């Protein structure tokens, strides 16, 4: 990607302070640049802050990935996406279900476009397979790919213990790309050395996009609490089953199409689901529920 025309760094702080600082930076930038529209994508604090700043400057907002709902109010992202939808003049919904969610309330103009995640996978997987050497660093021939980073999972010691137990006792070795938040919590609770020394788990630092695409392509199964990975796994060039380590998902289309299954965070249940997924491998659809890779053009 080209270098940004403008950028700023926000130091680690509370979510409220972080959001406030982004609003301040964006307000100055909007005053300086006078855009006709601000496009935001996703459900992070940055997305909400940028939308709020634009609203206060009377600048139109376009929300890419609008209308997603998990209905799990423990998730900061659920609040961010709902508030951003309310602030937006143009809503680019990835699916018909997302459009239905938006029409339950009074919103701006709604367009069903598919999700740009599929565009990105289509564009970058061939590049990743040429450039990445990550697979040479993996010590297992067959493996499960895992991630876990959400606050409701890793900030809860009982849940964190359960998730680490899933990785340690998995019937197939696990390649685990560890998020900084998770590493911090594991170190805080003196669990980091335990998971790093487990022979069944290969812990990796946070990976770049190209390396992660290759691992998704090569793995047998994905364990994750990430929303985006649930979508990426449905790309025709990936087509991998996903077990969602959460109590809910804002990507129900991935579940309904057979790619994903929400299994919760209980260790025994998750391990049973892993065994079932590996034992009975079902044929996955060749078409993604999130579009045909042209969401960028449709938007």
């Amino acid at each position: 990607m080209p270098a940004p025309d403008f950028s700023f760094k926000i130091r680690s702080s509370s979510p409220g302070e972080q959001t406030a600082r982004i609003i301040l930076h964006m307000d100055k930038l909007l005053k300086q640049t006078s855009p006709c529209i601000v496009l935001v994508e996703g459900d992070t604090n940055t997305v909400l802050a940028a939308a709020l700043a634009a609203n206060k400057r009377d600048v139109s907002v376009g929300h890419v990935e609008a209308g997603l709902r998990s209905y799990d109010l423990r998730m900061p992202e659920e609040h961010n996406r709902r508030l951003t939808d309310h602030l937006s003049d143009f809503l680019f919904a990835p699916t018909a279900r997302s459009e239905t969610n938006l029409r339950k309330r009074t919103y701006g103009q709604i367009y069903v476009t598919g999700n740009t995640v599929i565009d990105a996978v289509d564009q970058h997987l061939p590049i990743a397979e040429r450039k990445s050497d990550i697979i040479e660093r993996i010590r297992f021939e067959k493996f499960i790919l895992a991630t876990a980073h959400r606050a409701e999972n890793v900030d809860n010691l009982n849940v964190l213990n359960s998730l680490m137990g899933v990785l340690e006792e998995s019937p197939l070795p696990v390649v685990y790309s560890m998020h900084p938040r998770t590493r911090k919590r594991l170190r805080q609770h003196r669990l980091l050395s335990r998971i790093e020394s487990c022979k069944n788990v290969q812990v990796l630092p946070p990976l770049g996009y190209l390396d992660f695409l290759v691992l998704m392509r090569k793995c047998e199964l994905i364990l994750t609490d990430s929303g985006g990975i649930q979508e990426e796994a449905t790309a025709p060039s990936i087509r991998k089953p996903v077990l969602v380590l959460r109590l809910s998902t804002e990507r129900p289309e991935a579940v309904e199409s057979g790619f994903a299954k929400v299994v919760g965070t209980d260790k025994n249940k998750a391990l049973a689901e892993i065994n079932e997924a590996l034992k009975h491998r079902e044929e996955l659809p060749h078409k993604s529920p999130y579009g045909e890779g042209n969401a960028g053009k449709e938007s």
Side-chain angles (χ1 to χ4, degrees):
M1 294 179 67
D5 296 309
F6 305 94
S7 65
F8 46 84
K9 292 184 178 181
I10 303 295
R11 63 178 175 81
S12 179
S13 57
S14 71
E17 181 180 347
Q18 181 187 73
T19 304
R21 288 181 179 276
I22 297 169
I23 291 173
L24 288 172
H25 280 287
M26 284 300 302
D27 183 67
K28 294 176 183 177
L29 181 58
L30 294 171
K31 181 179 181 181
Q32 177 184 345
T33 57
S34 301
C36 61
I37 187 172
V38 170
L39 285 177
V40 295
E41 178 167 8
D43 51 24
T44 62
N45 291 339
T46 302
V47 167
L48 175 59
L52 278 167
N55 176 267
K56 297 303 180 183
R57 284 279 174 187
D58 200 26
V59 177
S60 295
V61 176
H63 186 198
V64 178
E65 208 176 73
L68 275 64
R69 297 290 184 272
S70 70
Y71 301 101
D72 184 347
L73 296 180
R74 299 173 307 149
M75 297 173 59
E77 296 88 349
E78 180 72 2
H79 297 277
N80 289 347
R81 64 174 73 102
R82 291 189 187 198
L83 292 168
T84 302
D85 283 343
H86 278 286
L87 290 164
S88 297
D89 303 277
F90 305 98
L91 297 118
F92 303 108
T95 66
R97 182 187 288 268
S98 300
E99 178 189 25
T100 299
N101 291 338
L102 293 170
R103 294 200 184 282
K104 291 177 182 177
R105 299 288 185 269
T106 301
Y107 291 107
Q109 299 178 48
I110 303 170
Y111 306 88
V112 179
T113 61
N115 198 303
T116 53
V117 160
I118 305 302
D119 302 29
V121 173
D122 286 351
Q123 292 169 11
H124 291 90
L125 184 57
I127 299 171
E129 291 182 323
R130 289 198 311 270
K131 291 189 173 183
S132 173
D133 64 353
I134 186 66
I135 206 67
E136 298 171 11
R137 292 181 266 156
I138 303 304
R139 64 175 189 254
F140 311 120
E141 183 178 347
K142 292 186 176 182
F143 61 91
I144 292 172
L145 179 61
T147 75
H149 72 282
R150 290 194 176 276
E152 63 269 23
N153 280 349
V154 303
D155 289 357
N156 182 313
L157 178 56
N158 290 332
V159 175
L160 183 61
N161 249 321
S162 178
L163 294 180
M164 293 305 105
V166 171
L167 305 187
E168 291 168 327
E169 298 178 33
S170 169
L172 193 67
V174 176
V175 173
Y176 177 33
S177 177
M178 188 179 290
H179 191 281
R181 181 191 195 103
T182 313
R183 178 175 289 276
K184 179 179 179 180
R185 294 293 180 254
L186 288 171
R187 182 180 289 115
Q188 177 183 337
H189 297 297
R190 299 181 181 179
L191 297 172
L192 183 59
S193 60
R194 179 183 118 189
I195 194 68
E196 286 185 327
S197 62
C198 178
K199 294 181 179 179
N200 197 49
V201 180
Q202 182 174 352
V203 176
L204 298 177
L207 297 173
Y209 184 56
L210 299 183
D211 285 341
F212 201 82
L213 283 179
V214 169
L215 291 181
M216 282 199 294
R217 182 78 175 86
K218 300 293 186 181
C219 73
E220 302 295 315
L221 174 70
I222 299 172
L223 301 177
T224 190
D225 59 6
S226 164
I229 291 174
Q230 293 174 56
E231 293 171 333
E232 289 168 336
T234 72
S237 53
I238 301 290
R239 292 180 63 238
K240 289 297 163 67
V242 180
L243 298 182
V244 183
L245 300 170
R246 285 163 48 181
L247 303 180
S248 63
T249 181
E250 64 285 350
R251 271 81 175 184
E253 300 89 351
V255 175
E256 292 163 0
S257 59
F259 284 98
K261 185 173 184 179
V262 178
V263 301
T265 57
D266 176 77
K267 183 183 78 170
N268 292 331
K269 185 175 188 303
L271 287 171
E273 294 289 356
I274 292 171
N275 276 297
E276 180 67 18
L278 294 175
K279 186 177 180 181
H280 299 105
R281 298 171 186 261
E282 297 184 5
E283 180 72 13
L284 295 173
H286 288 269
K287 185 176 181 180
S288 170
Y290 298 105
E292 300 178 358
N294 59 357
K297 293 178 181 178
E298 291 293 324
S299 299

Short mmCIF file of all heavy atoms in Angstrom, two decimals, residues 117-157:
data_model
loop_
_atom_site.label_atom_id
_atom_site.label_comp_id
_atom_site.label_asym_id
_atom_site.label_seq_id
_atom_site.Cartn_x
_atom_site.Cartn_y
_atom_site.Cartn_z
N VAL A 117 -12.89 -7.78 2.49
CA VAL A 117 -11.98 -8.84 2.95
C VAL A 117 -11.73 -9.85 1.83
O VAL A 117 -10.61 -10.32 1.62
CB VAL A 117 -12.56 -9.53 4.20
CG1 VAL A 117 -11.94 -10.90 4.41
CG2 VAL A 117 -12.33 -8.67 5.43
N ILE A 118 -12.79 -10.20 1.10
CA ILE A 118 -12.66 -11.18 0.02
C ILE A 118 -11.84 -10.59 -1.13
O ILE A 118 -11.00 -11.29 -1.73
CB ILE A 118 -14.05 -11.64 -0.48
CG1 ILE A 118 -14.89 -12.16 0.70
CG2 ILE A 118 -13.91 -12.71 -1.55
CD1 ILE A 118 -14.25 -13.32 1.45
N ASP A 119 -12.05 -9.31 -1.42
CA ASP A 119 -11.22 -8.64 -2.43
C ASP A 119 -9.74 -8.77 -2.07
O ASP A 119 -8.90 -9.11 -2.91
CB ASP A 119 -11.53 -7.14 -2.50
CG ASP A 119 -12.97 -6.81 -2.81
OD1 ASP A 119 -13.86 -7.62 -2.46
OD2 ASP A 119 -13.24 -5.74 -3.37
N ALA A 120 -9.44 -8.50 -0.80
CA ALA A 120 -8.05 -8.48 -0.34
C ALA A 120 -7.42 -9.87 -0.44
O ALA A 120 -6.26 -10.00 -0.86
CB ALA A 120 -7.97 -7.97 1.09
N VAL A 121 -8.17 -10.91 -0.05
CA VAL A 121 -7.62 -12.26 -0.14
C VAL A 121 -7.34 -12.62 -1.60
O VAL A 121 -6.26 -13.15 -1.93
CB VAL A 121 -8.60 -13.29 0.47
CG1 VAL A 121 -8.10 -14.72 0.21
CG2 VAL A 121 -8.72 -13.06 1.97
N ASP A 122 -8.29 -12.33 -2.48
CA ASP A 122 -8.11 -12.64 -3.90
C ASP A 122 -6.88 -11.95 -4.48
O ASP A 122 -6.13 -12.52 -5.27
CB ASP A 122 -9.35 -12.20 -4.70
CG ASP A 122 -10.54 -13.13 -4.48
OD1 ASP A 122 -10.35 -14.19 -3.86
OD2 ASP A 122 -11.64 -12.79 -4.92
N GLN A 123 -6.67 -10.70 -4.07
CA GLN A 123 -5.55 -9.92 -4.61
C GLN A 123 -4.21 -10.35 -4.04
O GLN A 123 -3.20 -10.32 -4.74
CB GLN A 123 -5.78 -8.43 -4.31
CG GLN A 123 -6.95 -7.82 -5.07
CD GLN A 123 -7.30 -6.43 -4.56
OE1 GLN A 123 -6.55 -5.84 -3.78
NE2 GLN A 123 -8.44 -5.91 -4.98
N HIS A 124 -4.19 -10.74 -2.77
CA HIS A 124 -2.91 -10.90 -2.09
C HIS A 124 -2.44 -12.31 -1.85
O HIS A 124 -1.26 -12.53 -1.58
CB HIS A 124 -2.94 -10.14 -0.76
CG HIS A 124 -2.98 -8.65 -0.92
ND1 HIS A 124 -4.16 -7.94 -1.01
CD2 HIS A 124 -1.99 -7.75 -1.07
CE1 HIS A 124 -3.89 -6.67 -1.18
NE2 HIS A 124 -2.59 -6.53 -1.21
N LEU A 125 -3.33 -13.30 -1.94
CA LEU A 125 -2.87 -14.67 -1.72
C LEU A 125 -1.81 -15.09 -2.75
O LEU A 125 -0.79 -15.69 -2.37
CB LEU A 125 -4.03 -15.65 -1.72
CG LEU A 125 -3.65 -17.10 -1.41
CD1 LEU A 125 -2.94 -17.23 -0.07
CD2 LEU A 125 -4.88 -18.00 -1.44
N PRO A 126 -1.98 -14.80 -4.04
CA PRO A 126 -0.91 -15.15 -4.99
C PRO A 126 0.42 -14.48 -4.66
O PRO A 126 1.48 -15.09 -4.80
CB PRO A 126 -1.46 -14.66 -6.34
CG PRO A 126 -2.94 -14.63 -6.17
CD PRO A 126 -3.16 -14.23 -4.74
N ILE A 127 0.35 -13.24 -4.19
CA ILE A 127 1.58 -12.53 -3.79
C ILE A 127 2.19 -13.20 -2.56
O ILE A 127 3.40 -13.40 -2.48
CB ILE A 127 1.26 -11.05 -3.48
CG1 ILE A 127 0.71 -10.35 -4.73
CG2 ILE A 127 2.51 -10.32 -2.97
CD1 ILE A 127 0.17 -8.96 -4.45
N ALA A 128 1.32 -13.58 -1.61
CA ALA A 128 1.79 -14.22 -0.38
C ALA A 128 2.50 -15.53 -0.69
O ALA A 128 3.55 -15.84 -0.11
CB ALA A 128 0.61 -14.47 0.56
N GLU A 129 1.95 -16.31 -1.59
CA GLU A 129 2.54 -17.61 -1.90
C GLU A 129 3.88 -17.47 -2.61
O GLU A 129 4.72 -18.36 -2.54
CB GLU A 129 1.56 -18.44 -2.73
CG GLU A 129 0.34 -18.86 -1.91
CD GLU A 129 -0.63 -19.72 -2.69
OE1 GLU A 129 -0.82 -19.46 -3.90
OE2 GLU A 129 -1.22 -20.64 -2.09
N ARG A 130 4.10 -16.34 -3.26
CA ARG A 130 5.41 -16.08 -3.88
C ARG A 130 6.42 -15.54 -2.89
O ARG A 130 7.59 -15.91 -2.93
CB ARG A 130 5.26 -15.06 -5.03
CG ARG A 130 4.55 -15.58 -6.26
CD ARG A 130 4.84 -14.68 -7.47
NE ARG A 130 4.64 -13.27 -7.21
CZ ARG A 130 3.48 -12.63 -7.39
NH1 ARG A 130 2.41 -13.30 -7.81
NH2 ARG A 130 3.37 -11.34 -7.14
N LYS A 131 5.98 -14.70 -1.99
CA LYS A 131 6.92 -13.95 -1.15
C LYS A 131 7.14 -14.52 0.25
O LYS A 131 8.21 -14.36 0.83
CB LYS A 131 6.44 -12.50 -1.01
CG LYS A 131 6.53 -11.69 -2.30
CD LYS A 131 6.24 -10.22 -2.02
CE LYS A 131 6.49 -9.37 -3.25
NZ LYS A 131 6.29 -7.92 -2.97
N SER A 132 6.14 -15.18 0.81
CA SER A 132 6.25 -15.61 2.20
C SER A 132 7.06 -16.90 2.33
O SER A 132 6.92 -17.83 1.53
CB SER A 132 4.85 -15.83 2.79
OG SER A 132 4.94 -16.41 4.07
N ASP A 133 7.88 -16.95 3.38
CA ASP A 133 8.61 -18.18 3.70
C ASP A 133 8.15 -18.76 5.04
O ASP A 133 8.84 -19.58 5.65
CB ASP A 133 10.12 -17.91 3.72
CG ASP A 133 10.52 -16.94 4.84
OD1 ASP A 133 9.62 -16.37 5.51
OD2 ASP A 133 11.74 -16.75 5.04
N ILE A 134 6.98 -18.34 5.50
CA ILE A 134 6.52 -18.71 6.84
C ILE A 134 6.38 -20.22 7.00
O ILE A 134 6.68 -20.77 8.06
CB ILE A 134 5.18 -18.00 7.18
CG1 ILE A 134 4.77 -18.26 8.63
CG2 ILE A 134 4.07 -18.45 6.23
CD1 ILE A 134 5.69 -17.66 9.65
N ILE A 135 5.95 -20.89 5.95
CA ILE A 135 5.70 -22.33 6.08
C ILE A 135 6.99 -23.09 6.36
O ILE A 135 6.97 -24.17 6.98
CB ILE A 135 4.98 -22.87 4.81
CG1 ILE A 135 4.17 -24.12 5.17
CG2 ILE A 135 5.96 -23.13 3.69
CD1 ILE A 135 3.00 -23.86 6.09
N GLU A 136 8.13 -22.53 5.94
CA GLU A 136 9.42 -23.18 6.21
C GLU A 136 9.79 -23.11 7.69
O GLU A 136 10.63 -23.87 8.16
CB GLU A 136 10.52 -22.51 5.37
CG GLU A 136 10.30 -22.65 3.87
CD GLU A 136 11.26 -21.80 3.07
OE1 GLU A 136 12.24 -21.28 3.67
OE2 GLU A 136 11.04 -21.64 1.85
N ARG A 137 9.14 -22.22 8.42
CA ARG A 137 9.43 -22.05 9.84
C ARG A 137 8.48 -22.86 10.73
O ARG A 137 8.63 -22.87 11.95
CB ARG A 137 9.35 -20.57 10.23
CG ARG A 137 10.47 -19.73 9.63
CD ARG A 137 10.35 -18.29 10.07
NE ARG A 137 9.60 -17.47 9.11
CZ ARG A 137 8.98 -16.35 9.43
NH1 ARG A 137 8.95 -15.95 10.68
NH2 ARG A 137 8.34 -15.66 8.50
N ILE A 138 7.49 -23.51 10.12
CA ILE A 138 6.53 -24.28 10.90
C ILE A 138 7.06 -25.71 11.08
O ILE A 138 7.42 -26.38 10.12
CB ILE A 138 5.16 -24.31 10.19
CG1 ILE A 138 4.66 -22.88 9.96
CG2 ILE A 138 4.16 -25.12 11.01
CD1 ILE A 138 4.57 -22.04 11.21
N ARG A 139 7.08 -26.17 12.31
CA ARG A 139 7.71 -27.47 12.59
C ARG A 139 6.74 -28.65 12.45
O ARG A 139 7.16 -29.80 12.61
CB ARG A 139 8.33 -27.47 13.97
CG ARG A 139 7.41 -27.30 15.14
CD ARG A 139 8.18 -27.43 16.45
NE ARG A 139 7.34 -27.48 17.62
CZ ARG A 139 7.17 -26.49 18.48
NH1 ARG A 139 7.79 -25.34 18.27
NH2 ARG A 139 6.39 -26.63 19.54
N PHE A 140 5.47 -28.37 12.15
CA PHE A 140 4.49 -29.43 11.98
C PHE A 140 4.11 -29.57 10.51
O PHE A 140 3.98 -28.58 9.79
CB PHE A 140 3.22 -29.14 12.78
CG PHE A 140 3.47 -28.74 14.21
CD1 PHE A 140 3.06 -27.50 14.69
CD2 PHE A 140 4.13 -29.60 15.08
CE1 PHE A 140 3.27 -27.12 15.99
CE2 PHE A 140 4.36 -29.23 16.41
CZ PHE A 140 3.94 -27.99 16.86
N GLU A 141 3.92 -30.82 10.08
CA GLU A 141 3.48 -31.04 8.70
C GLU A 141 2.00 -30.68 8.54
O GLU A 141 1.60 -30.04 7.57
CB GLU A 141 3.70 -32.50 8.30
CG GLU A 141 3.33 -32.79 6.85
CD GLU A 141 3.62 -34.23 6.46
OE1 GLU A 141 4.32 -34.93 7.23
OE2 GLU A 141 3.13 -34.66 5.40
N LYS A 142 1.17 -31.12 9.50
CA LYS A 142 -0.24 -30.77 9.54
C LYS A 142 -0.52 -30.05 10.85
O LYS A 142 -0.01 -30.46 11.90
CB LYS A 142 -1.12 -32.01 9.41
CG LYS A 142 -1.06 -32.67 8.05
CD LYS A 142 -2.07 -33.81 7.96
CE LYS A 142 -2.07 -34.42 6.56
NZ LYS A 142 -3.09 -35.50 6.45
N PHE A 143 -1.32 -29.01 10.78
CA PHE A 143 -1.51 -28.20 11.98
C PHE A 143 -2.85 -27.45 11.95
O PHE A 143 -3.47 -27.27 10.90
CB PHE A 143 -0.37 -27.19 12.13
CG PHE A 143 -0.26 -26.21 10.98
CD1 PHE A 143 -0.92 -24.99 11.01
CD2 PHE A 143 0.52 -26.53 9.87
CE1 PHE A 143 -0.81 -24.10 9.95
CE2 PHE A 143 0.63 -25.64 8.80
CZ PHE A 143 -0.04 -24.42 8.84
N ILE A 144 -3.26 -27.04 13.15
CA ILE A 144 -4.39 -26.13 13.34
C ILE A 144 -3.82 -24.74 13.52
O ILE A 144 -2.81 -24.56 14.22
CB ILE A 144 -5.21 -26.53 14.58
CG1 ILE A 144 -5.93 -27.86 14.33
CG2 ILE A 144 -6.21 -25.45 14.96
CD1 ILE A 144 -6.60 -28.44 15.57
N LEU A 145 -4.44 -23.73 12.92
CA LEU A 145 -4.02 -22.34 13.09
C LEU A 145 -4.93 -21.68 14.11
O LEU A 145 -6.16 -21.79 14.02
CB LEU A 145 -4.11 -21.61 11.76
CG LEU A 145 -3.73 -20.13 11.74
CD1 LEU A 145 -2.28 -19.92 12.17
CD2 LEU A 145 -3.98 -19.53 10.35
N ALA A 146 -4.34 -21.01 15.11
CA ALA A 146 -5.14 -20.42 16.19
C ALA A 146 -4.77 -18.96 16.44
O ALA A 146 -3.60 -18.57 16.32
CB ALA A 146 -4.95 -21.22 17.47
N THR A 147 -5.79 -18.18 16.80
CA THR A 147 -5.59 -16.82 17.31
C THR A 147 -6.58 -16.59 18.45
O THR A 147 -7.64 -17.23 18.49
CB THR A 147 -5.83 -15.72 16.24
OG1 THR A 147 -7.24 -15.58 16.00
CG2 THR A 147 -5.11 -16.05 14.94
N ALA A 148 -6.25 -15.70 19.36
CA ALA A 148 -7.18 -15.30 20.43
C ALA A 148 -6.72 -13.96 20.96
O ALA A 148 -5.56 -13.82 21.36
CB ALA A 148 -7.21 -16.33 21.55
N HIS A 149 -7.60 -12.96 20.95
CA HIS A 149 -7.17 -11.63 21.39
C HIS A 149 -8.27 -10.81 22.05
O HIS A 149 -8.00 -9.78 22.66
CB HIS A 149 -6.65 -10.84 20.19
CG HIS A 149 -7.73 -10.40 19.25
ND1 HIS A 149 -8.31 -11.24 18.35
CD2 HIS A 149 -8.35 -9.20 19.11
CE1 HIS A 149 -9.23 -10.59 17.66
NE2 HIS A 149 -9.29 -9.36 18.11
N ARG A 150 -9.52 -11.22 21.94
CA ARG A 150 -10.61 -10.37 22.41
C ARG A 150 -10.59 -10.20 23.92
O ARG A 150 -10.31 -11.14 24.67
CB ARG A 150 -11.97 -10.92 21.95
CG ARG A 150 -12.18 -10.80 20.46
CD ARG A 150 -13.62 -11.03 20.08
NE ARG A 150 -13.81 -10.82 18.66
CZ ARG A 150 -14.01 -9.65 18.08
NH1 ARG A 150 -14.06 -8.56 18.83
NH2 ARG A 150 -14.16 -9.54 16.77
N ALA A 151 -10.95 -9.00 24.36
CA ALA A 151 -10.91 -8.67 25.78
C ALA A 151 -11.73 -9.64 26.62
O ALA A 151 -11.31 -10.07 27.70
CB ALA A 151 -11.39 -7.23 25.99
N GLU A 152 -12.94 -10.00 26.14
CA GLU A 152 -13.80 -10.87 26.93
C GLU A 152 -13.22 -12.28 27.07
O GLU A 152 -13.64 -13.04 27.93
CB GLU A 152 -15.20 -10.94 26.32
CG GLU A 152 -15.29 -11.52 24.93
CD GLU A 152 -15.18 -10.49 23.84
OE1 GLU A 152 -14.61 -9.39 24.09
OE2 GLU A 152 -15.65 -10.76 22.73
N ASN A 153 -12.23 -12.61 26.25
CA ASN A 153 -11.56 -13.91 26.36
C ASN A 153 -10.27 -13.82 27.17
O ASN A 153 -10.08 -14.55 28.14
CB ASN A 153 -11.25 -14.47 24.97
CG ASN A 153 -12.46 -15.13 24.33
OD1 ASN A 153 -13.47 -15.35 24.98
ND2 ASN A 153 -12.37 -15.44 23.05
N VAL A 154 -9.37 -12.96 26.76
CA VAL A 154 -8.03 -12.98 27.37
C VAL A 154 -7.93 -12.18 28.66
O VAL A 154 -6.99 -12.37 29.43
CB VAL A 154 -6.96 -12.52 26.35
CG1 VAL A 154 -6.99 -13.38 25.11
CG2 VAL A 154 -7.09 -11.06 26.00
N ASP A 155 -8.87 -11.28 28.92
CA ASP A 155 -8.84 -10.52 30.18
C ASP A 155 -9.52 -11.27 31.31
O ASP A 155 -9.49 -10.83 32.46
CB ASP A 155 -9.51 -9.16 30.00
CG ASP A 155 -8.67 -8.21 29.15
OD1 ASP A 155 -7.56 -8.59 28.76
OD2 ASP A 155 -9.14 -7.09 28.86
N ASN A 156 -10.15 -12.38 30.99
CA ASN A 156 -10.80 -13.23 32.00
C ASN A 156 -9.90 -14.44 32.24
O ASN A 156 -9.69 -15.26 31.35
CB ASN A 156 -12.18 -13.67 31.47
CG ASN A 156 -12.95 -14.52 32.47
OD1 ASN A 156 -12.42 -15.46 33.07
ND2 ASN A 156 -14.23 -14.20 32.64
N LEU A 157 -9.35 -14.55 33.45
CA LEU A 157 -8.36 -15.59 33.72
C LEU A 157 -8.92 -16.99 33.51
O LEU A 157 -8.23 -17.86 32.97
CB LEU A 157 -7.82 -15.45 35.15
CG LEU A 157 -6.80 -16.51 35.60
CD1 LEU A 157 -5.61 -16.56 34.65
CD2 LEU A 157 -6.36 -16.25 37.03
#
